């Protein structure tokens, strides 16, 4: 984050986090309060270390982090992570077509387990499949590595598919309340008819008409292998976004020793700050991974089935149509070795 970006951020959240002076003591300035919060998000240091660095109390650090994270989310979310309109979804689809050669794609969806300290008397609710305690960050990412939707706080024991089904985004997606663009014809493949706009995910998600997952199994036809490659190529945007997030905000490299509620605030703050930094366009740190033509190292050749996902016939037909398109009209030169 550059000085200009910090000043911009302070101008947005400063009035929200400012405190009044009292007879007993002068209030901590908004700039210092923001620095304390960002110091925790960037390093993940314990409260005592941060308190010693800024010469404030440990309880003061704890209160500041919660208040400032909430203020960052409230002040930035409307501008940097608004609810997409139909025009926004269409622009996202155009971005995936131009940059990732995947038509009618509205975003890449995946879940990230954020490791936390085991909450008291929580039983096994937060224990995930890696025997760690975590909360789930479910995100939809566009072609430019921007978070378009996040849902934070699901129990770590839940699968990505279960988290999607239980979150508001998943319910709206299932009920058709997201104001998505209508079915349309892909240019150059008019004979396929109108195809729906879809999200792409890995094998942890269910197959739906508007949510595509890879073909399961190892002994696949060439057409299905090509589809899995093209889908995994588009799905890399969410993996890259998570990588950028963990690289920039080092609290993700440690176990977060906060309550689940405060950890949720910190995760939401880092997600919206991720968008803020990328949109303002002055960041010069780590660059996301961008696949160029001929780079097949990140291809998922053999995807195994992790569970039973019974899909409707319409969803199966949509996936088969996309598979046929990627091996014919939508083929790209560098998929020949798949």
């Amino acid at each position: 984050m550059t000085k200009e970006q910090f000043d911009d951020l302070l101008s947005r959240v400063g009035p929200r986090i400012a405190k009044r002076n009292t007879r007993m003591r002068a209030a901590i300035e908004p700039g210092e309060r923001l620095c304390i919060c960002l110091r925790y998000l960037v390093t993940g240091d314990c409260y005592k270390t941060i308190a010693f660095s800024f010469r404030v109390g440990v309880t003061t650090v704890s209160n500041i982090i919660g208040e400032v994270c909430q203020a960052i989310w409230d002040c930035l979310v409307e501008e940097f992570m608004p609810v997409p309109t139909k025009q926004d979804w269409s622009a996202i689809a155009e971005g995936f077509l131009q940059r990732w050669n995947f038509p009618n794609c509205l975003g890449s969806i995946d879940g990230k387990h954020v490791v936390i300290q085991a909450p008291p008397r929580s039983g096994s609710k937060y224990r995930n499949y890696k025997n760690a305690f975590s909360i789930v960050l479910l995100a939809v990412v566009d072609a430019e590595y921007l978070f378009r939707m996040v849902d934070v706080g699901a129990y770590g024991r839940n699968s990505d598919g279960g988290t999607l089904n239980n979150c508001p985004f998943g319910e709206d997606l299932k009920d058709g309340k997201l104001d998505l663009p209508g079915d349309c014809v892909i240019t150059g493949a008019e004979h396929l008819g109108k195809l729906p706009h879809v999200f792409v995910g890995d094998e942890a998600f269910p197959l739906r008409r508007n949510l595509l997952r890879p073909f399961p199994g190892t002994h696949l036809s060439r057409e299905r292998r090509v589809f899995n490659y093209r889908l995994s190529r588009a799905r890399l945007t969410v993996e890259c976004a998570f990588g950028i997030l963990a690289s920039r905000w080092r609290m993700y490299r440690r176990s977060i020793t906060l309550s689940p509620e405060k950890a949720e605030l910190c995760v939401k703050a880092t997600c919206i700050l991720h968008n803020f930094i990328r949109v303002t366009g002055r960041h010069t740190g780590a660059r996301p991974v961008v696949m160029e033509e001929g780079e097949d190292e990140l291809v998922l050749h053999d995807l195994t089935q992790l569970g039973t996902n019974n899909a409707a016939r319409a969803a199966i037909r949509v996936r088969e149509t996309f598979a046929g398109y990627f091996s014919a009209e939508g083929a790209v030169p560098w998929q020949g070795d798949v």
Side-chain angles (χ1 to χ4, degrees):
M1 181 181 293
T2 64
K3 181 180 183 301
E4 291 77 10
Q5 287 176 315
F6 178 84
D7 292 340
D8 186 10
L9 179 62
L10 181 60
S11 67
R12 296 171 185 269
V13 303
R16 176 75 178 267
I17 63 177
K19 300 292 183 179
R20 294 182 179 179
N21 296 329
T22 66
R23 295 182 181 179
M24 302 296 295
R25 67 187 68 180
I28 300 176
E29 295 295 327
E32 187 174 357
R33 294 170 65 84
L34 182 58
C35 285
I36 290 173
C37 179
L38 294 179
R39 171 71 176 272
Y40 174 77
L41 299 179
V42 169
T43 65
D45 287 342
C46 67
Y47 285 173
K48 287 185 178 180
T49 301
I50 297 176
F52 180 80
S53 299
F54 287 88
R55 289 180 169 81
V56 295
V58 175
T59 303
T60 302
V61 172
S62 176
N63 293 335
I64 286 175
I65 290 175
E67 293 173 1
V68 176
C69 283
Q70 184 67 62
I72 289 174
W73 174 263
D74 293 340
C75 294
L76 300 183
V77 65
E78 292 296 329
E79 181 176 351
F80 295 97
M81 200 186 297
V83 177
T85 62
K86 184 173 295 186
Q87 290 75 22
D88 294 330
W89 289 123
S90 298
I92 294 173
E94 182 64 23
F96 271 98
L97 177 61
Q98 296 298 328
R99 189 165 186 177
W100 302 103
N101 309 105
F102 201 111
N104 287 17
C105 182
L106 300 177
S108 176
I109 184 170
D110 200 6
K112 175 181 175 61
H113 286 269
V114 180
V115 180
I116 63 173
Q117 187 178 44
R121 297 180 296 276
S122 62
S124 62
K125 291 188 296 185
Y126 292 95
R127 184 183 291 273
N128 60 32
Y129 66 99
K130 293 184 178 179
N131 291 324
F133 292 86
S134 64
I135 58 176
V136 179
L137 163 61
L138 184 73
V140 174
V141 177
D142 67 11
E144 303 294 331
Y145 311 107
L146 294 177
F147 292 108
R148 292 304 185 126
M149 185 285 305
V150 295
D151 182 83
V152 189
Y155 295 139
R157 70 178 184 181
N158 295 342
S159 65
D160 289 346
T163 302
L164 176 65
N165 289 333
N166 296 327
C167 73
F169 172 82
E171 294 176 355
D172 291 344
L173 178 63
K174 188 175 181 180
D175 297 336
K177 298 180 180 179
L178 289 179
D179 194 26
L180 303 181
D183 299 358
C184 67
V185 175
I186 299 176
T187 303
E190 289 78 7
H191 66 282
L192 297 178
K194 293 184 177 181
L195 290 176
H197 287 78
V198 298
F199 295 91
V200 294
D202 59 17
E203 59 272 16
F205 293 96
L207 177 63
R208 298 177 183 170
R209 191 173 183 272
N210 52 11
L211 176 59
L212 296 183
R213 51 168 279 169
F215 285 103
T218 55
H219 302 289
L220 301 175
S221 65
R222 173 176 173 73
E223 183 177 281
R224 292 189 173 189
R225 292 200 309 272
V226 168
F227 172 84
N228 284 357
Y229 163 66
R230 297 291 292 275
L231 184 140
S232 66
R233 186 173 185 270
R235 202 182 62 79
L236 279 176
T237 58
V238 68
E239 300 290 356
C240 290
F242 285 155
I244 297 169
L245 194 71
S247 177
R248 181 175 293 147
W249 310 105
R250 308 291 286 188
M251 74 168 193
Y252 288 104
R253 301 297 180 91
R254 305 183 179 188
S255 176
I256 301 178
T257 57
L258 306 178
S259 66
E261 295 75 19
K262 187 167 287 187
E264 179 180 341
L265 290 177
C266 293
V267 172
K268 290 168 64 176
T270 57
C271 289
I272 199 66
L273 286 172
H274 169 92
N275 283 8
F276 170 78
I277 292 174
R278 293 191 69 84
V279 170
T280 50
R282 301 189 184 96
H283 182 64
T284 58
R287 291 288 188 253
V289 176
V290 179
M291 292 183 63
E292 300 294 342
E293 295 185 7
E295 293 185 2
D296 295 329
E297 292 79 7
L298 298 176
V299 177
L300 303 180
H301 289 286
D302 297 322
L303 294 171
T304 58
Q305 186 176 11
L306 298 183
T308 57
N309 283 309
N310 298 323
R313 291 183 179 179
I316 295 175
R317 187 164 53 251
V318 168
R319 183 168 64 176
E320 292 287 355
T321 304
F322 271 98
Y325 168 77
F326 289 137
S327 293
E329 298 86 356
V332 291
W334 59 90
Q335 72 184 34
D337 297 331
V338 175

